């Protein structure tokens, strides 16, 4: 898979909904009902971060949910890429980008949404062919003003800002011409997941799915 193909695939995914839920799954038993609630609420693209021992099993469970498109976040190594692909991930997300990681995703035909925090990082990824990137950590790196400023000289790159994005600032990010969608964890609060309050999560997903974007 070429970087251009990966970017085209991820742009299509980013356009499916204004928010991609960023999920940290601690109990694999919650994976499928969580995915079902989010998809029912209008958020079909799900990112499961590889931060817990059950993350790969959670991807396997979520991949079986009709209408859902599950990806693996926090890809750091070629081994992560192989494991995520085997578990059924349809795309990958990384907090940054290294040549080894980019090559591993290209070799595995796993569309990668690579992370960038600066203009130089965005330019380097664009030079390789990645025109769709993750802006991370968004709020810590200056938030909406920073992303708007990066977009002025590098309009070819579109972003999915993640990190500190919330219901209060998501509309501001989505109003930017270089933002395709945002990533956020607020649609799956830990307390709601722990209680199995799938109705609340579906409601939050529906509100997120209705957010306007440019």
């Amino acid at each position: 898979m070429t970087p251009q193909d990966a970017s085209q695939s991820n742009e299509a995914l980013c356009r499916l909904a204004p928010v991609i839920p960023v999920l940290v799954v601690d109990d694999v038993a919650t994976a499928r009902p969580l995915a079902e609630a989010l998809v029912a609420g209008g958020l079909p693209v799900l990112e499961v971060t590889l931060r817990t021992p059950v993350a790969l099993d959670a991807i396997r469970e979520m991949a079986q949910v009709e209408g859902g498109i599950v990806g693996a976040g926090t890809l750091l190594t070629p081994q992560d890429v192989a494991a995520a692909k085997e578990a059924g991930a349809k795309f990958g997300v990384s907090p940054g980008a290294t040549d080894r990681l980019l090559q591993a995703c290209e070799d595995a035909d796993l569309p990668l949404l690579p992370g960038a925090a600066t203009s130089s990082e965005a330019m380097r990824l664009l030079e390789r062919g990645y025109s769709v990137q993750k802006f991370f950590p968004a709020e810590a790196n200056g938030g909406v003003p920073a992303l708007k400023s990066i977009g002025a000289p590098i309009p070819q790159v579109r972003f999915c800002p993640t990190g500190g994005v919330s219901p209060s600032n998501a509309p501001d990010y989505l109003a930017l011409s270089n933002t395709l969608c945002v990533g956020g964890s607020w649609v799956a609060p830990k307390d709601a997941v722990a209680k199995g309050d799938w109705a609340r999560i579906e409601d939050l997903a529906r509100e997120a799915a209705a957010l306007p974007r440019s």
Side-chain angles (χ1 to χ4, degrees), residues 39-212:
V39 171
L43 302 181
V45 184
L46 313 173
E47 176 192 340
V48 178
T49 63
L50 301 187
R51 301 181 192 177
T52 68
V54 303
L56 292 171
D57 288 331
I59 290 173
R60 291 187 182 93
E61 287 294 314
M62 290 183 170
Q64 300 177 53
V65 173
E66 185 176 355
I69 304 169
V70 186
T74 326
L75 297 181
L76 303 177
T77 68
Q79 291 76 22
D80 290 340
V81 174
K85 185 75 182 287
E86 189 277 331
K90 298 301 183 185
F91 66 95
V93 185
S94 63
T98 66
D99 289 334
R100 287 181 71 230
L101 182 64
L102 293 169
Q103 191 63 55
C105 285
E106 291 161 16
D107 291 344
D109 289 332
L110 186 70
L112 179 67
L113 186 65
T118 66
S119 295
S120 293
E121 291 172 357
M123 288 171 61
R124 183 175 180 277
L125 285 167
L126 179 62
E127 189 174 81
R128 185 164 177 139
Y130 289 92
S131 58
V132 177
Q133 304 172 17
K134 169 182 173 177
F135 182 56
F136 177 84
E139 283 295 287
N141 277 302
V144 171
L147 190 54
K148 183 177 181 180
S149 296
I150 289 174
I154 318 174
Q156 305 95 321
V157 179
R158 300 292 180 88
F159 293 93
C160 171
T162 303
V165 180
S166 66
S168 60
N169 60 26
D172 296 326
Y173 281 106
L174 292 168
L176 298 177
S177 61
N178 62 338
T179 296
L180 289 170
C181 66
V182 300
S185 59
W186 79 86
V187 292
K190 281 193 173 183
D191 62 330
V193 175
K195 295 175 183 175
D197 191 350
W198 311 124
R200 178 185 170 197
I201 290 174
E202 184 176 336
D203 288 342
L204 289 170
R206 189 169 290 108
E207 291 171 4
L211 289 172

